[in-house]
Amino acid sequence: MSMNDTAMDIVNWLETAVDNTNWGYLIRERYSLTNMAWISRYRTDCTTESAYAFLKAWKHTGDKKYLTLARNLFNGICNLQHEDGSFPYHTGSSIAYTNDNSEVAIFLLRMAEVDSENASAYREKALDITDWLVSIQKEDGSWQRSTATLESTACFTAHAISAISMAYKFTNNREAYKTAVENGLAYISTKIRNDGMVTLMGGNEAQRPPSSDQSICVRSIAHAELYIDDLSNRATWIAKRKILTAWLEQCITEEGAVKNGLGTGANGADTVNVTDYVYTLPFAAEAFYYSSLVDGDIDLLKTAMKIVRFAQGNIYYSSIDNANGVLRGAFNITNRNWDTSDAVLDSGEQGGGNMIYTGWTNAPMAAHFFCFSGAVDKGVTLSIKTDVKAERFIPDDNGLMRICVDGKTVKFPLARYTDVSASAVKLFANGEKQAFAHLS
């Protein structure tokens, strides 16, 4: 089965989780195999991530029902927005989480790359969030967990850095954005232990494996390097990212599973037997992918592809209508089953193998399957040598640039040169200045 086919299996499952609520169209959070029932909490981050997956499905199939679904979900979250620009955790809460809001902004910016007709609306809402994030940054450069929990963490600071970095080219307040990112990076630097592992957040987030915090921090530094051209102290941040990446690489198995940790007892989820699909997997793939872009390192790209390929092999097919063609929350890589009790979970079993999430797991991974399908299924990437480094691009069935490879035509995506996914490799096509595109 191709990665595109796998992505569509997930998308079709996501469609069954969409509800028309009092606030508009939103998506349920997750399905519990323990209780054989939906947990119908409507989260803004899950909704936005799913909207992006529907847009990718629209581009893949041409079926406008997916475009309509994505736009309906966007309208749904807009009805929940707070006056300060932030979005609540879910419809039953007024609390705004730093990580949730950051991911909403990131996925809105990604949606703008696919649905160009609505790009300005998506970016406007994303900037509402990133403006709010800049305004609540602490003096030490960190961000708090939420408006209800003020403790700082490296992981949640990293989420904010990624969102602000991606929004940097669209804001009229670039100096403040750059300062916020640089101060955030400085804070993360103080949280790197001697062994290269980032200090974990603990507390109410103790179910998050060490590989999750690590992946999110690696991704954030790579995002800052990629999206902010005039980033100060670049060499320092590169060195810090490579320290963090070296630790994370120890968690990657030969087949591409991302172990929760190294089994050193860092927290209850620090086990070598489990790979986490909620808190780690999508971020680990992005950590290696975006690091490959800024370093021009093909081995890092291969690691990202290996992670995505392994995840595709773990799709769960069953006779249960609400749990078919999906990634469950975690997998036991030692016993090759879904018993993930080796990792300590909270009372809600968040992140365990018996939970199936719409956002955080299935929607982001469906998008990754669409994006990586050409490289994995066709075994092709395009390398273009620039004055600075080698830029590498992944093929896309909907790409506009056609190149003949071994007698076969392979398509590669282009972007508007102003898009966040635009690389440094520019060209004129169809009378417009465009660029080869990275993943957005």
Side-chain angles (χ1 to χ4, degrees):
M1 179 182 290
S2 74
M3 279 202 169
N4 281 329
D5 291 338
T6 302
M8 286 305 302
D9 284 343
I10 292 176
V11 164
N12 292 332
W13 175 79
L14 288 171
E15 186 178 357
T16 68
V18 174
D19 283 342
N20 189 1
T21 73
N22 293 334
W23 301 272
Y25 286 91
L26 298 168
I27 200 160
R28 303 168 200 165
E29 181 189 62
R30 54 190 158 121
Y31 183 78
S32 169
L33 283 168
T34 302
N35 300 320
M36 299 293 282
W38 280 98
I39 297 174
S40 295
R41 190 162 52 173
Y42 301 107
R43 291 175 54 165
T44 51
D45 49 2
C46 294
T47 298
T48 310
E49 291 164 343
S50 299
Y52 178 62
F54 287 135
L55 285 181
K56 297 294 285 185
W58 166 57
K59 280 296 184 182
H60 173 65
T61 65
D63 190 337
K64 287 190 174 180
K65 93 171 171 180
Y66 297 116
L67 174 64
T68 300
L69 274 167
R71 290 178 174 178
N72 284 343
L73 291 175
F74 170 67
N75 291 334
I77 67 158
C78 287
N79 292 332
L80 300 173
Q81 188 177 20
H82 295 149
E83 289 186 6
D84 62 8
S86 66
F87 287 81
Y89 172 34
H90 58 82
T91 52
S93 172
S94 61
I95 299 172
Y97 275 83
T98 295
N99 63 329
D100 293 358
N101 272 274
S102 298
E103 293 307 307
V104 171
I106 287 167
F107 278 85
L108 286 172
L109 291 168
R110 290 173 175 173
M111 288 171 67
E113 306 282 274
V114 183
D115 182 9
S116 57
E117 186 178 340
N118 272 16
S120 59
Y122 300 140
R123 288 176 181 151
E124 179 184 350
K125 292 298 178 185
L127 287 171
D128 285 345
I129 296 171
T130 50
D131 285 346
W132 172 74
L133 287 170
V134 170
S135 74
I136 66 167
Q137 186 178 25
K138 294 185 175 183
E139 289 187 5
D140 65 358
S142 68
W143 273 270
Q144 61 204 37
R145 277 185 69 231
S146 73
T147 52
T149 309
L150 304 184
E151 62 180 320
S152 299
T153 71
C155 179
F156 280 35
T157 296
H159 277 288
I161 288 171
S162 285
I164 294 167
S165 297
M166 285 185 69
Y168 176 72
K169 68 161 47 182
F170 304 111
T171 182
N172 293 322
N173 198 15
R174 287 191 175 185
E175 194 58 37
Y177 272 46
K178 186 176 81 162
T179 298
V181 166
E182 291 170 351
N183 289 341
L185 293 175
Y187 173 80
I188 289 176
S189 297
T190 69
K191 298 300 178 181
I192 301 174
R193 306 185 332 177
N194 291 336
D195 63 357
M197 190 184 93
V198 71
T199 302
L200 303 179
M201 63 181 73
N204 293 331
E205 301 286 349
Q207 75 276 3
R208 290 172 180 265
S211 58
S212 174
D213 293 48
Q214 199 83 4
S215 297
I216 292 164
C217 286
V218 170
R219 182 187 74 154
S220 72
I221 302 175
H223 276 162
E225 295 175 63
L226 181 64
Y227 295 125
I228 302 181
D229 293 336
D230 56 344
L231 188 70
S232 303
N233 301 318
R234 184 176 291 269
T236 298
W237 313 133
I238 292 172
K240 298 294 185 183
R241 175 173 52 79
K242 289 188 175 181
I243 290 171
L244 292 170
T245 304
W247 186 94
L248 183 60
E249 286 177 325
Q250 298 175 84
C251 297
I252 312 301
T253 69
E254 284 297 319
E255 60 183 341
V258 186
K259 294 182 288 188
N260 273 13
L262 302 181
T264 59
N267 68 2
D270 181 12
T271 170
V272 299
N273 296 322
V274 174
T275 181
D276 179 279
Y277 289 161
V278 179
Y279 298 112
T280 297
L281 180 68
F283 299 112
E286 290 192 26
F288 284 101
Y289 174 74
Y290 286 104
S291 292
S292 78
L293 294 183
V294 292
D295 289 346
D297 189 333
I298 188 65
D299 289 333
L300 293 172
L301 175 59
K302 287 179 179 177
T303 299
M305 291 167 59
K306 185 166 67 171
I307 292 169
V308 173
R309 187 185 297 113
F310 177 80
Q312 186 199 15
N314 264 184
I315 297 294
Y316 179 67
Y317 291 98
S318 74
S319 59
I320 305 168
D321 290 340
N322 292 315
N324 184 39
V326 292
L327 277 168
R328 291 169 63 163
F331 182 73
N332 188 313
I333 55 179
T334 300
N335 297 328
R336 317 301 295 183
N337 61 30
W338 300 99
D339 179 4
T340 58
S341 56
D342 187 44
V344 176
L345 303 175
D346 64 8
S347 60
E349 291 190 274
Q350 293 196 83
N354 288 329
M355 292 294 166
I356 304 173
Y357 283 76
T358 53
W360 292 92
T361 304
N362 280 287
M365 287 312 299
H368 284 343
F369 292 149
F370 281 128
C371 290
F372 280 88
S373 63
V376 172
D377 293 342
K378 297 182 176 64
V380 172
T381 60
L382 174 66
S383 179
I384 298 177
K385 185 72 174 178
T386 70
D387 292 339
V388 179
K389 63 180 180 180
E391 293 266 20
R392 292 184 173 86
F393 305 96
I394 292 175
D396 186 327
D397 286 344
N398 297 303
L400 297 175
M401 175 60 70
R402 293 167 172 80
I403 296 175
C404 186
V405 179
D406 294 332
K408 296 181 180 179
T409 298
V410 183
K411 301 177 183 178
F412 291 87
L414 299 179
R416 295 175 293 274
Y417 75 99
T418 55
D419 283 353
V420 73
S421 61
S423 73
V425 182
K426 305 294 193 294
L427 70 162
F428 280 94
N430 300 322
E432 297 180 0
K433 186 177 181 181
Q434 296 185 303
F436 276 95
H438 298 138
L439 301 186
S440 54

